[in-house]
Amino acid sequence: MERAADGRGARRAGRHVEHAADGRGAGRAEPHLEHAAHGGGTGRAGRHPTDEVDDLVAAWRAERPDLDVRPMQVLSRISRLARHLDRERRSAFAAHDLESWEFDVLAALRRNGAPYELSPGALLRATLVTSGTMTNRINRLEDKGLVRRRPDPQDKRGVLVTLTSAGQARVDATLAGLLESEQALLAGLPEASRDTLAGLLRVLLAPLDAG
């Protein structure tokens, strides 16, 4: 998650994106991904066991043979994976006495680099919440000693929200725990397959984010 944000591995994944976009090398690079998408390989020593999405797709094909249900093979799996990830995120945050929104604010400050501070407006853009919600969140984090406000030297009417040393320690420990959980979720994929999958998901997601 955070690795993508800071750019590490992006150049590797980008090469796979070019192949995915124009179809070059797709079969050579990761043939097992194609088999998995079609439920193939089930009989070969159980390399690619079927999942609930296979059953769902098969049932809809039987009931509605007039419809192309292939999008379900991708998007239903993304939806289910998102639920697993959300559960792991909540568990990692709870282990460090944080809620999801608290981590989001602290992580935005931490990612910004020393001195780990942003204006409330910048935090709004980073976390996609309303001004009133952000004010309330900053207040609560300040009460917990995880952030502090200070006057903005560039704007007499403005303030900056700064990560405290306690806030930095908390977000760093939480991130380490979260990444450990995410590594476990990806344990079934070799590194090359992860890069390929990241590139394909980027192709899918980029125009949606831009829109």
Side-chain angles (χ1 to χ4, degrees):
M1 180 186 66
E2 298 290 335
R3 289 170 58 193
D6 66 18
R8 289 196 296 274
R11 289 185 294 275
R12 293 200 309 274
R15 292 195 293 270
H16 293 289
V17 175
E18 292 178 8
H19 291 313
D22 63 15
R24 293 196 303 272
R28 292 195 306 274
E30 300 296 338
H32 55 283
L33 290 179
E34 181 180 354
H35 289 307
H38 293 280
T42 305
R44 292 195 291 275
R47 282 179 57 195
H48 301 297
T50 58
D51 61 11
E52 293 182 6
V53 175
D54 290 316
D55 297 336
L56 180 152
V57 169
W60 277 119
R61 278 179 172 159
E63 292 298 317
R64 294 297 307 270
D66 56 311
L67 295 178
D68 180 3
V69 297
R70 286 177 297 176
M72 291 182 181
Q73 293 179 331
V74 175
L75 300 179
S76 290
R77 288 186 171 96
I78 290 175
S79 176
R80 289 169 186 249
L81 181 60
R83 291 201 293 270
H84 287 291
L85 177 59
D86 183 63
R87 184 169 59 245
E88 293 298 328
R89 284 171 58 88
R90 291 179 183 277
S91 177
F93 300 153
H96 296 277
D97 193 27
L98 286 179
E99 296 185 38
S100 298
W101 67 263
E102 292 176 310
F103 176 81
D104 289 343
V105 174
L106 297 178
L109 293 169
R110 182 67 172 90
R111 287 195 308 269
N112 197 51
Y116 312 116
E117 60 186 15
L118 289 168
S119 69
L123 283 171
L124 284 177
R125 294 187 291 274
T127 57
L128 303 177
V129 298
T130 65
S131 177
T133 297
M134 179 52 65
T135 298
N136 178 262
R137 291 181 174 184
I138 293 171
N139 289 341
R140 293 171 65 179
L141 288 169
E142 193 169 29
D143 289 343
K144 295 177 72 170
L146 301 178
V147 304
R148 64 181 176 86
R149 289 179 172 96
R150 75 176 185 90
D152 185 346
Q154 305 299 321
D155 182 356
K156 293 182 179 180
R157 295 178 299 175
V159 298
L160 293 172
V161 181
T162 305
L163 193 65
T164 65
S165 57
Q168 181 179 341
R170 186 81 64 87
V171 71
D172 283 352
T174 304
L175 177 61
L178 175 60
L179 289 174
E180 184 177 345
S181 297
E182 292 183 346
Q183 288 283 7
L185 285 176
L186 294 172
L189 286 179
E191 192 68 30
S193 297
R194 297 182 194 186
D195 289 342
T196 299
L197 180 58
L200 293 171
L201 290 173
R202 186 181 298 109
V203 170
L204 179 65
L205 187 58
L208 299 176
D209 283 344

